[in-house]
Amino acid sequence: MKKGFYTLVFLFAVLIGQAQKREITGTVTNKTTGEKLEGVNIVVDKSKSGTSTKKDGTFTISVKPSKVTLIFSSIGFATQMLQIDKNTNEVNVQMVPSISDNAEVVVIGYGTQRRGDVTGAITKFKDDKLDEAPVVRLDQALQGKIAGVQIQNLSSEAGAPPKVTVRGISSIYAGASPLVVVDGQPVPDGLAYVNMADVESVEILKDAASAAIYGSRGASGVILITTKAGKSEKAKYVFKYSIGAKQDYKRYDVFTSTEYLNNLYYEASLKAQDPSVPTPTEATIATNNERSGYVIENALFGGKGTNWQDQALRTGMFQNILLSVSGGKSDVKYYISGGYQKDQGLMRNSEYDRFNVRTRIDVNLTSKVKLVVNINPSYSRRESPSINYTTFVRYQSFLPVKHNAATLGLVGQNPQWSTLNVGDFAQPRHFNNLYYAGYMPNGSYWDPGGLSDAFNSSTNSPSSILNNTLIENKEYRLQSSADLTIKLFKGLDFKSLSTMYINKSNGLNWSNRNAEADGLVSRGVFTDNMFVDLLSEQTLTYNKVVKDHNFNVLAGFTVQTTKTKKDQVTGLDFPSDNIRTYNNASIIDKASTFGSTNTVALISYLGRVNYNYKSKYLISASFRTDGSSYFGPGNKWGTFPSVSAGWAMDKEKFMNKVKWISKLKWRASYGVSGNNRILDFGFLDLLYTSNYAFGSGTGNVNTGQSTSSTIRSNKDITWESTFQANYGMDLSILKGRLGITVDYYNSKTDKLLLQQATVAYSGVPASWNNIGSLKNTGIELQLNSINVTKRNFKWSTAANISHTQNKILELGQESFLLNEGERNELYLNKVGLPLIQFYGYKTDGIWLSQTEIDAAQANGLSSQLSNVFVPGQLKLVDINGDNVIDIKDRTVLGSPYPDFTWGVTNTITYNQFDLSFTFQGVQGGSLINGDPNYDDVKKLVRNYNTNRYISPLFPGDGKTPNYNKAAFNWLLTDYVIEDASYYALREINLGYKFPDDKIKFAKISSLRLYLSAQNLYFHTAKGYRGINPESRITSGPYGSALVGGYQRGSFPIPQTFVFGVDLNF
Amino acid sequence: MKKLSLYFIASIIALTSCNKMIDVYPSSNLYDQAFYQNTSDVEKALTGCYNGMQKPLYNEWEVTELRSDNTLMGSPTSGSSDNREFSDLDMFMPATSHSGMYDYWLNTYYNIYNVNKVMSNLEVNYHQEDGSITYDSISIPVTLQDRKRLSSQASFIRAYHYFNLVRLFGGVFLIDKPVSPAEAKYINRSSVDEIYKLIIADLQNTIDNGATANYNAINPNDFGRANSWAAKAMMAKVYLTLNRKTDAIALLQDVISNSGYGLQATYSNVFSTNNEMNNEIMFAVRYKSGKVGLGSPFANLFAPSGSGQAIVNGDGKGYNYPAKELFRKTQGGYDTLVDKRDDFNMSIYFGKIYVKKYISNLIYENDGENDWPVIRYADVLLMLAEAQGFTPNSVALINQIKTRAGLLPLTNITTEAAFEKALSDERRWEFAFENQRWFDLVRFKTTTNSIDPIAVLKNHFSNMYSTHYAQYPQPLSLIELQNLITPEKLLLPIPQREIDINTTIIIPQNPGY
C-alpha cells in the first residue's frame, strides 16, 4: 500500500513538473437514468495518469496538448474509450449500464435466459482461474463456492469422486446425486471428465421449478456445464502448465510395539500401587504375542520398529498441461484444446492420469442454419491401492518390511522358512512358532519355556500385498454431439440435437502368485464394460416481442437410450506374473465370471413458456412427461410441471428515488421433479445361476436358478417426486458493489425410493419400496462484494452460507425404521425427525470401580446385556429409569446433518499481483467414529489410549475406557459420536502477471505465473479424534441414504502445492 | 422447408414406435415372475435349493461345534473382530446382534424362501391347522408324478432347515409359502410344537413320495438327492429329539433292514473324495472342486492360521479349533489302541490342533471337493442304540462303530449311566466336526437319564481352563466362565435385527438375552 502511495506521489510530481498541459473538464451521467455518476475512473490512454469523478459527476484531468484518448470505467457500466482532439476541452459522457442484468446470459435447461429474467434459483459460477486449483475434478474445485451445494471429499484417493449434494437430501436412495449436463448432453460422469480449463461456466439449477424441465432426473438438482466456444478473432493460443506435489496433512499417532509394551508396564506399575485391585502378575501384564513382538523389535531393530504409515504414504505428484487454440472467421468459429492431467494419490498405487481433447466448431451454414459440433474424446487410467490405509495404521511395528540377514537367521530356525532370501517381504507367519525370550521393560526376564507366536495372521503384510497386486481401470470415452439450429421464420427456431456418449472401460484386478497369502495362484479379474448413450432431442423455440410483452416458448421431445454391457472373466494360475491375458490362465473361475447386457430407455415430451412484461413482471411455466423403462408396466410415465414468477422491483418508477438500490428482484417458484435412479429391473425378481452337483463320483454340475439373496423386487415402485417451493430475492446495492442473493425453499419428496430393510425371515434382508415422504427446508445466502476498486488495487469477496434441514413426514405404515451398519450400529429413521439419527446408548463416563458397580447393583440396577458392569468400561445410562439396562434404553445420539455450510473467497489484485483464497467450512453435525470399536486401533492409536482407565485409583479422565478388558461388543454408544464440524483454508492462489510491455517483444499477449495450495490449514472440532472429518464410508450398508455418517480408518487429508504458468499468445 | 417437414414426419413416426422402447425386460437374467412354466423350470429351481444349503453351512460350525465341548476359538490373544465373535459364542455371551449367527439365520431363511417358491409353484401346500400337505390343482403342465418327485426333495430341504432352526432358536417364524416382506411383518414366532408339526409333515411327504429305491438300485444320476431313506433317518432323529423313541425305532429298523445303506469298511473311506456318495452317506451337502463355484471353503477355514501352504494352499483361517480334550493322542492313556478317527479328523501344526477332516488336496483356495455329511448310516445305528437305551443290542450297535474305528469293543458296561456315557462319547468321536455334538448334547437331556449338557459344558470349561480360557488377556475366572452357561443360553437369541426392523408387531426375545 505504502509503496503504491509513494508511486502515486511520484507520478503526481512528474505530472506537475511537465510543461505544456491542458485541462479537460466534463460531467459523467448514467445514460439510462440521467443520474450524475460519482467515482468513475478516467485514465489517459498509454499513460499512467488518471482521475475520477466527483460527487456531482464532474471531473478535471490534465492531458498533453495533442490528441488523446480517455478511458472511462466504472463498475456496472460498459467501459468507454473517447478520442479527444486537441481543440476540445470539455466532454460530457453518458455511461451505459453494462453488465449483468441485460447482458449476462444464464444457461437453463434446454436454452438460455437473460440473468434479469430468471425466476428460479439458479446459480451461475464463472471463474477464469477454475483450473488453477490443484485438483483434477471440477466438482472438487467447486467446493465451498456455491450456496446450497455441498461437496464432500469422502476419499482422498486420486480421481475419487466427492459427494455432491444440492440442497440437502431430497431422495433417500443412493442415486441422489445431481444430474450433470455438459453442453446439453446428460453425462453421468461429466464432473469427472470435463477439463476445468475448457469450462466457460457452470450453472446449478437448484429449485424444482428450474430442474423440472429435466423431469424424472431433476430431483437432486441439475448441474449444467457449458464449455468454451471460439470467438470471431484471430487465432488465440493458450498454454497452461502446472506442477506440484502433495503430502498428508495429518497422520495417526500410533504406538510402536515397544512403546505399547512400555505403556502396559507403566500402567501395571501404577496398578501395583492401588490396593483395591490385585497387583498385576507378570503373566497378566502382557500376552506372549505382545512380548514376542517386543523382543523382536528390541533385539533386531534397537527398539525402533517399522513405521507402517510411511510404507503406505508418499509425496504425490500433480501435473496439469493444457494447450488450446481458438478463434474464427465470421461464419466459422473453433475451439480446440488438449489437456493432460496427472494426479498421484498420497497412498502408493493411487494414480490418476487423464487425457482430454475437446473440439468445438460453430458454423453458420447459411444465415438461417447454424451447426455446432462437439467432439470430446478422452482417456483415463486410474490405479487404486488394493489395501486400505487403515491396515497400515494398525499394523504392528516389530514386523520388518523385508527380511535382512538377521531376521532370516531368526525365522530360518523354522525349516518351513529356511529358503527365504534377504529382500523377500517379511510376513507375520514367518515369526510364529519360534522360541522367544528376553528382558521386559521393567527389567524382568521373560522366558515362556516353549514356542510362541508373535503375530498370528495368515494374510501377508500390507506392503507385500500392495507390491504384488494391481487394480487398474482404463476408460476410453467419447462424448460427442451435433446440433442444428434452423431459423424457420422470425422468432421460431427449430433445434435438433443428437448426442452420443460411449464409454468403454477395461479393468484389471491382478494378484501375483502368493500375493495375499502363501500357496495362492496368480489371479486376474478382467472386466470389460461398454456404456453407450444415445440421445435425440428435437425442440422448437419461439421468441416474440409485442410491444413490451416478451414471449419465449419451448416445445420438444427427446428420446434417450442407454445400452450397457458388462463382462467379467476371472482367470487363475498364469504361467508367469507378467503374463496377464486370460487365455493364459490355467483355469477360469466360474463363480466370478459373468456378463450382462441391458438397455434403458427414456422418452420425454417437454414444454415451457417464459413471459415478461418490460422485464419487470416475469412468469414462467414448464412441464415434462417422462416414460422410463426403469419401472414396471403401469408405472412408467410421470409428469413434472412447474411455475415461477418474478418481479423486478427496481424497474418500477417509484424505485428511481431509492438511489442506493441498483437492483431488486423478487422470485417465487413451485415445481415437481423426479428421481428415477434405481437399480435396473427393481420391479422384477431376477434369477441367478445356482448350480449343484448330482450324480456318482464327484458329481456333475446341474443347472439351477435362484432369486437374489440380497433384495426383493416390488412391482409397484415408481417415481419419487419432489415438490418444491422456492422464494428468492436478488439485491444489488451501492451501485452494484454489494450483491445479495437469498433463497428460501421448502420441499417435500413423496414416494421415496429406498432399499427398505426387511425381516430376514421373509428370505431377504432388503426390498425395494416407495413409501413415505420427506421434507426439506433451507435457506441460502450468497454475497458478492466489491470492496476496493482502485486502479491498481482491487479486492472483492464472494461468500455463501446455507442451512438445510430435513424431516421425515411419513414412512408408509411405519412410525420408524431401524437400520444396521457394518458393526451393527443403528440408524433410526423416524417420522417427525431428521432422516438419520444415530441410535444407541448414552454413557455417563466409565465405571470407576467394582465398588461403584456394586453400589449401583445394590440399588437395583441390572442388565441382561453381556459385560455391562465392568470397571473401566463405559457406563450405560438407564434412560427410561426402570433400573434395567436393555434395548429400551437406546435413544437418539445425534445426526449427521450440519447446521450450516459456508465458504468465503477473497480475490485481491495489486498491480501485477493477484491473490485469492477460499475458506470453507461445515458447522455442526456428528459422525460415528468407528475406529474406537476396532481392537487393534484402540490398542495402537494413541488418541484412544490417552488418559484411559487403569484402576480405581488411576481412573484416567474418567471417560476413556480401557480396551484391554472384557467388554460389551458392538453396541453403539455416544462414546463414538463426534462433532464433524471443520473449517479449512481450502485453496489459496497467488499470481503475478507480467506487464504487457515487458513481454511484447516475444509476441506473447499475456504471461502469468502462480503458486497455489490446497488445504494449507484444516481445523477440526474439539472432541474429534480422527484425522479427516470429511471422510465417510459409502459402500455396503452405507449405500443406502437411511444409513450414513460413519467413518472408519479415514484417509489423511492431502495438502497440495502447485506452481503454474499461464501463457497466451 | 420440404426436407424439414420430412424430418418432422420421420420424427413423429420414430416417436410412436418409442413407447415400445420403454417396455424393456432383462436380457441377461431370467426372472421369477415369468419363470415357472414347466417341469424343467421347477427342476432348475429345486437345484437352486440344493445349492442354497451350502450357504448356511458356512456359519453352522459357529452356532453348533463352537458352542459345544468340541471346539474353541483358536487364538485367545487375538483382537480381531472375527475371533472376538467366535469367543462370544464359545463362552455363551453372544450379542443379540452377533453377525455369524445372523448370517446363519438369514441364509437359512433365504433357502426356505427358495423351497417355498418350488412348493408353491408345484401347488403342494402345507396346512398349519392339521399339519397336512396337499397336492392342489395346478396350472402349469407338471405331472403328479413329477410333483411328488420334486416336492418330496424340497420338503426334505425345508425340514432340514427348520429342524436346525428350532433346535438352535426355539419357536421360530413358520414360513411355509413365499411371503412378501410386507406380509412377513405380520408373522410372529410360532411355538416349538408348530415348527415340529411342519418338519414332520415335510419329512412324511419325502418318505411317502420320495424315491424308495434301495441304495444299490439308485440311478447314479440321482446321487445327492434326498430320498425316502434319508427322510426316514432324519425323521428318526426328529422323533428322538421329541423323545418319541418307539416311532424312531420303527423307522431306524426299516432303514437298517431295507435301505441297502451300510457302514463303510474304514472310517476314512466314508469321507474320501474318491468315494463320494458311498453307501454310508444318506444325505450330504455336496461340494465340487474345479472352480465351478461349488468348492468347499472348510479346508481353508479350519487349517491353522499362519501355516503358509504347509497344510493347505492359501493358508488357513484357524477357525473351529478342536479342544485339546478331544484329541486323545495328546492326553495319553485312554486306550491301548489308537482311535483311527482322531488321526483322520485332526492333526497338529506346531502344537496347534486343527480340523483335518475336510482337507483334501486342493489346488485353489476355498475350492475343496469334500462333501459335508448331514446324515449317515453310522448315525442310524447309534440313534437306534440311543432310542433303545441300555440293552445288549444297543451295546452291540455301538461296538460296530467302535471296532470299525480300530478300537476294542465295549465289554464291561454294567450301568445305564456307563452306557449313556459310552454312547455320548462314541457319537462325539464318530461325528466330530459334523456339527452334531451340540444337538446331541441338548437332546441327551431328554433321551438319557444321566447326561446334563450344562454339566458337560461346565466340565469342558474346567478341562480347558488353564490351557485356553486363562490365556485371554485379563481372563474371566473359571467360576465366572461357568456361570455364563445357563439353561436359557442353550437357545440362541432371535437376531436383534429382526426385532428392531419389525416395527409392526412386537417379537418376543428368548429369555436370558
Side-chain angles (χ1 to χ4, degrees), chain A residues 416 453 488 496 518 561 590 597 603 636 685 687 691-692 695 697 699 707 760 765 814 824 890 935 969, chain B residues 4 7 21-22 27 29-30 32-33 51 84 88 110 185 223 286 288 291 307 314 349 497-498 500 503:
Chain A
Q416 200 177 339
D453 290 349
L488 297 176
S496 174
D518 204 14
T561 61
K590 288 208 180 125
T597 63
I603 306 169
K636 290 184 183 296
D685 282 311
L687 296 177
N691 299 340
Y692 196 70
T707 54
E814 316 286 346
N824 301 309
R890 294 182 300 193
D935 282 14
N969 237 338
Chain B
L4 205 63
Y7 195 99
M21 287 172 61
I22 57 172
S27 55
N29 292 78
L30 294 164
D32 190 73
Q33 282 79 356
N51 176 296
R84 197 160 171 179
D88 287 353
Y110 165 65
K185 296 189 103 172
F223 278 123
R286 302 197 71 182
K288 187 171 174 58
K291 280 293 169 190
S307 54
Y349 175 83
R497 189 177 181 275
E498 306 292 57
D500 285 343
T503 51

Side-chain angles (χ1 to χ4, degrees), chain A residues 109-263:
Chain A
Y110 302 92
T112 57
Q113 201 171 16
R114 291 189 311 162
R115 162 54 80 193
D117 294 345
V118 169
T119 45
I122 300 176
T123 302
K124 174 172 181 144
F125 183 80
K126 195 173 177 333
D127 181 358
D128 295 337
K129 298 187 184 113
L130 194 60
D131 59 301
E132 292 178 8
V135 291
V136 288
R137 294 175 57 108
L138 176 60
D139 36 17
Q140 290 171 323
L142 294 177
Q143 192 172 30
K145 294 180 181 156
I146 299 160
V149 180
Q150 202 192 340
I151 293 162
Q152 186 178 9
N153 293 305
L154 302 167
S155 149
S156 303
E157 246 182 60
K163 181 180 175 187
V164 181
T165 326
V166 176
R167 290 198 161 172
I169 298 154
S170 61
S171 167
I172 58 183
Y173 178 53
S177 50
L179 176 70
V180 178
V181 179
V182 182
D183 293 327
Q185 182 177 8
V187 181
D189 53 1
L191 291 166
Y193 267 94
V194 79
N195 189 330
M196 281 173 275
D198 291 339
V199 173
E200 174 69 29
S201 70
V202 179
E203 268 90 354
I204 290 126
L205 312 185
K206 297 192 287 195
D207 63 329
S210 308
I213 198 80
Y214 286 101
S216 62
R217 294 171 296 177
S220 301
V222 182
I223 297 181
L224 304 174
I225 299 166
T226 308
T227 60
K228 286 179 180 159
K231 293 181 181 123
S232 298
E233 57 191 10
K234 67 169 189 159
K236 191 177 143 194
Y237 298 87
V238 175
F239 171 74
K240 286 167 178 267
Y241 178 75
S242 64
I243 186 163
K246 64 173 88 163
Q247 63 182 37
D248 50 290
Y249 187 78
K250 192 180 180 186
R251 294 183 187 189
Y252 288 102
D253 185 7
V254 296
F255 281 126
T256 63
S257 301
T258 304
E259 288 168 336
Y260 172 69
L261 212 68
N262 284 340
N263 190 48

Side-chain angles (χ1 to χ4, degrees), chain B residues 44-79:
Chain B
K44 288 190 191 91
L46 177 65
T47 303
C49 297
Y50 277 99
N51 176 296
M53 297 176 88
Q54 287 189 350
K55 249 184 168 177
L57 266 184
Y58 188 91
N59 299 94
E60 195 176 271
W61 63 271
E62 270 185 73
V63 289
T64 56
E65 289 297 272
L66 187 63
R67 290 162 72 220
S68 79
D69 53 351
N70 272 3
T71 63
L72 309 162
M73 185 275 268
S75 171
T77 54
S78 163

